[in-house]
């Protein structure tokens, strides 16, 4: 009976061991092209885009206030309304300018009429003075036989008439100059009022921003609030508000750590996988590598280099602003054995793997080569098709032994 119990216990022990071994995850040693790569997260952007900025208007209209705004991410066509600003101040300026213009024009007409009347009066006086001068001249020419005293009196009267005639002529000339200056000033006032009115009408048209090209309207952040623009916000003149990207040419912007930047060159192949739909993979290549490093963020001293990646081919579902995972392929080595990094174990300077042998595993020393994010090359110690454990199959036993030693 005791012998039977021992057999049963032995069977249970073996069964438990086999069950544990069956639970050990494994991976097959593969012989294929090995890729040396770097993974970095980035953001999709347009290679070319049009920035829509608030109009530059005169200070006399006050600040711009948004009363209508396109939905963020909306697809727009040429001529579609993007932004409308509050026109109340501009409308008031138009009414004021029109009123001033009408007043100046009416004053000009009255001024012209008054000038005409003044000149007619001066011309009438000139005619009278001219007649007096002519009479004095005739008397002087007829005074040959008059007494010297009378002759002298007639001569003085002629000189007086000549002076009066010259004065009348001079008054008319001076009056014309003054009138010309007054007309010029009033015309200047009219031109200024007309210019203000034209500027107000032009500004009124500028208060509505439309799409110059088709695209996706991406609303930018307001400098003052650090949030995207919204209805009711006040905007400075010339402030960038909306970006219209060209969706036919997209790129991914990534930041590469200064340790890896020496591996990145222009034209390097890249695989791009959007986080929003990870089942789609796009291809691309490095478009440019920045010459100067920047801080990774405001709180970090880690230096990174901005890298632009051009996305090739069709770009369905890709839109600016999407987060993507970029796999930059540094190099590729054909026909080499590799295993997942989880299958690699180390003791000091020795690398080894647990190779499946029947229902158990054997610890086997291996030699390794280059590695990437997920795999490492095996140069010796394994054969293609071997199954290697992804976790230590003897971890429980080793832990139990360590506990026994401590006891």
């Amino acid at each position: 009976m005791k012998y039977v119990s021992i057999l049963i216990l032995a069977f249970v022990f073996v069964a438990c061991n086999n069950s544990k071994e069956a639970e050990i995850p494994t991976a097959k040693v593969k012989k294929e092209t090995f890729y040396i790569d770097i993974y970095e997260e980035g953001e999709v952007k347009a290679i070319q885009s049009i920035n829509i900025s608030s109009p530059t208007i005169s200070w006399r209209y006050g600040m711009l206030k948004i009363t209508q705004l396109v939905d963020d991410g909306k697809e727009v066509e040429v001529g579609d309304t993007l932004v409308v600003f509050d026109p109340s101040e501009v409308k008031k300026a138009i009414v004021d300018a029109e009123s001033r213009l009408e007043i100046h024009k009416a004053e000009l007409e009255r001024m012209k009429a008054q000038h005409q009347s003044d000149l007619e009066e001066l011309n009438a006086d000139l005619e009278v003075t001219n007649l007096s001068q002519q009479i004095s001249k005739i008397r002087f020419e007829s005074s040959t036989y008059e007494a010297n005293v009378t002759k002298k009196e007639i001569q003085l009267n002629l000189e007086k008439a000549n002076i009066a005639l010259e004065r009348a002529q001079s008054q008319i000339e001076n009056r014309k100059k003054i009138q010309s200056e007054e007309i010029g000033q009033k015309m200047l006032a009219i031109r200024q009022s007309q210019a203000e009115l034209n500027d107000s009408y032009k500004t009124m048209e500028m208060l509505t921003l439309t799409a110059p090209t088709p695209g996706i309207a991406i609303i930018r952040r307001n400098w003052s609030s650090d949030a995207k623009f919204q209805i009711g916000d006040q905007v400075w003149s010339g402030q960038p508000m909306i970006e219209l990207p060209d969706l036919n040419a997209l790129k991914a912007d990534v930041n590469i750590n200064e340790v890896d930047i020496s591996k990145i060159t222009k034209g390097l192949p890249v695989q791009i996988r959007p986080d929003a739909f990870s089942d789609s993979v796009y291809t691309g290549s490095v478009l440019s590598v920045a010459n100067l490093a920047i801080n990774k963020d405001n709180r970090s001293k880690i230096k990174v280099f901005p890298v632009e990646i051009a996305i090739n081919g069709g770009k369905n579902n890709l839109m600016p602003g999407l987060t993507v995972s970029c796999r930059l392929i540094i190099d590729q080595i054909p026909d080499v054995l590799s295993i997942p990094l989880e299958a690699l174990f180390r003791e000091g300077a020795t690398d080894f793997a647990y190779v499946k042998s029947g229902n158990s595993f054997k610890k086997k020393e291996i030699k390794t080569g280059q590695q990437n994010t997920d795999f490492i090359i095996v140069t010796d110690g394994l054969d293609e098709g071997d199954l290697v454990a992804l976790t230590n199959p003897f971890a429980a036993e080793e832990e139990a032994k360590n506990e026994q030693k401590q006891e």
Side-chain angles (χ1 to χ4, degrees):
M1 187 70 178
K2 183 177 181 182
Y3 177 73
V4 174
S5 299
I6 293 173
L7 285 177
I8 293 173
L9 289 172
F11 176 78
V12 171
F13 178 77
V14 171
C16 290
N17 281 347
N18 288 340
S19 176
K20 290 180 180 178
E21 289 174 0
E23 294 175 359
I24 301 300
T26 61
K28 184 178 290 187
V29 179
K30 295 181 179 180
K31 189 174 186 180
E32 56 188 2
T33 300
F34 186 84
Y35 294 94
I36 308 298
D37 51 24
I38 295 175
Y39 282 88
E40 286 292 345
E41 284 203 346
E43 181 180 346
V44 176
K45 293 184 179 180
I47 293 178
Q48 293 182 341
S49 62
I50 297 175
N51 285 316
I52 307 298
S53 300
S54 58
T56 301
I57 64 174
S58 173
W59 58 270
R60 61 194 181 94
Y61 302 117
M63 289 194 67
L64 295 163
K65 184 179 180 180
I66 301 173
T67 58
Q68 182 179 330
L69 184 65
V70 67
D71 292 335
D72 192 21
K74 182 179 179 180
E75 187 171 351
V76 296
E77 299 295 334
V78 176
D80 286 354
T81 299
L82 301 178
V83 188
V84 177
F85 298 98
D86 183 7
S88 56
E89 289 297 323
V90 181
K91 285 182 178 179
K92 181 182 177 182
I94 289 175
V95 172
D96 292 343
E98 287 178 337
S99 177
R100 285 194 301 272
L101 183 61
E102 290 302 317
I103 291 173
H104 288 318
K105 286 182 176 180
E107 289 177 346
L108 177 63
E109 293 303 317
R110 286 197 299 269
M111 184 180 291
K112 286 181 177 179
Q114 185 63 46
H115 287 176
Q116 181 67 25
S117 176
D118 292 345
L119 286 177
E120 288 176 357
E121 185 176 346
L122 289 175
N123 283 323
D125 292 341
L126 176 63
E127 289 296 324
V128 172
T129 305
N130 186 44
L131 289 175
S132 298
Q133 190 267 351
Q134 292 293 329
I135 292 171
S136 297
K137 186 177 180 181
I138 292 171
R139 286 178 179 176
F140 177 74
E141 291 175 349
S142 304
S143 64
T144 305
Y145 303 102
E146 295 289 340
N148 289 335
V149 175
T150 304
K151 188 175 181 179
K152 185 66 175 177
E153 182 181 355
I154 293 172
Q155 182 179 1
L156 291 174
N157 288 333
L158 176 59
E159 291 178 358
K160 182 179 178 181
N162 288 336
I163 293 172
L165 181 61
E166 290 178 0
R167 182 180 296 171
Q169 291 174 339
S170 177
Q171 284 180 341
I172 291 176
E173 293 300 322
N174 290 336
R175 176 62 64 181
K176 285 181 178 180
K177 290 179 180 179
I178 293 172
Q179 290 178 350
S180 177
E181 181 65 25
E182 290 176 346
I183 293 293
Q185 290 179 355
K186 187 55 66 176
M187 290 297 295
L188 177 61
I190 289 174
R191 287 195 297 271
Q192 288 175 341
S193 296
Q194 185 65 59
E196 290 176 1
L197 182 60
N198 292 342
D199 181 70
S200 297
Y201 280 126
K202 183 179 179 181
T203 302
M204 179 65 74
E205 295 177 357
M206 294 166 63
L207 295 182
T208 299
L209 304 181
T210 58
T213 61
I216 301 294
I218 300 176
I219 299 177
R220 303 187 68 167
R221 290 187 176 275
N222 189 343
W223 298 335
S224 58
S225 65
D226 197 33
K228 289 195 172 186
F229 285 104
Q230 56 186 346
I231 293 175
D233 281 357
Q234 288 188 324
V235 185
W236 296 101
S237 292
Q239 191 169 355
M241 295 186 62
I242 296 175
E243 184 178 1
L244 283 179
D246 180 3
L247 300 182
N248 294 318
L250 298 178
K251 65 177 181 177
D253 284 355
V254 299
N255 292 325
I256 303 297
N257 194 289
E258 58 183 334
V259 176
D260 298 320
I261 193 62
S262 60
K263 306 172 186 176
I264 309 301
T265 57
K266 186 176 180 180
L268 208 64
V270 183
Q271 293 179 351
I272 302 104
R273 190 184 300 272
D275 292 352
F277 34 95
S278 57
D279 55 333
S280 299
V281 179
Y282 301 86
T283 62
S285 59
V286 173
L287 184 65
S288 67
V289 181
N291 293 323
L292 296 176
I294 60 174
N295 288 333
K296 187 174 183 179
D297 53 56
N298 294 334
R299 300 178 181 179
S300 174
K301 294 183 179 180
I302 298 175
K303 296 292 184 179
V304 293
F305 287 80
V307 173
E308 293 182 338
I309 299 168
I311 303 175
N312 302 329
K315 307 171 186 67
N316 294 335
N317 299 325
L318 278 185
M319 289 192 303
L322 284 179
T323 302
V324 290
S325 177
C326 298
R327 181 191 182 196
L328 294 86
I329 302 173
I330 309 300
D331 194 10
Q332 47 186 320
I333 306 171
D335 299 326
V336 293
L337 298 177
S338 65
I339 60 173
L341 291 175
E342 294 89 344
L344 175 66
F345 299 88
R346 285 195 170 100
E347 289 182 357
T350 303
D351 293 341
F352 62 89
Y354 293 103
V355 182
K356 190 171 182 61
S357 177
N359 293 326
S360 183
F361 289 90
K362 290 183 178 180
K363 185 176 181 180
K364 198 169 184 180
E365 184 177 341
I366 61 175
K367 292 183 179 180
T368 58
Q370 295 191 65
Q371 72 178 60
N372 58 24
T373 308
D374 301 309
F375 297 90
I376 188 167
I377 294 175
V378 177
T379 58
D380 189 31
L382 295 177
D383 295 320
E384 184 179 3
D386 285 348
L387 290 177
V388 291
L390 298 179
T391 60
N392 185 349
F394 308 112
E397 296 177 15
E398 292 175 358
E399 184 177 351
K401 289 180 181 179
N402 291 332
E403 290 178 355
Q404 289 178 358
K405 289 180 179 180
Q406 291 176 359
E407 291 176 357

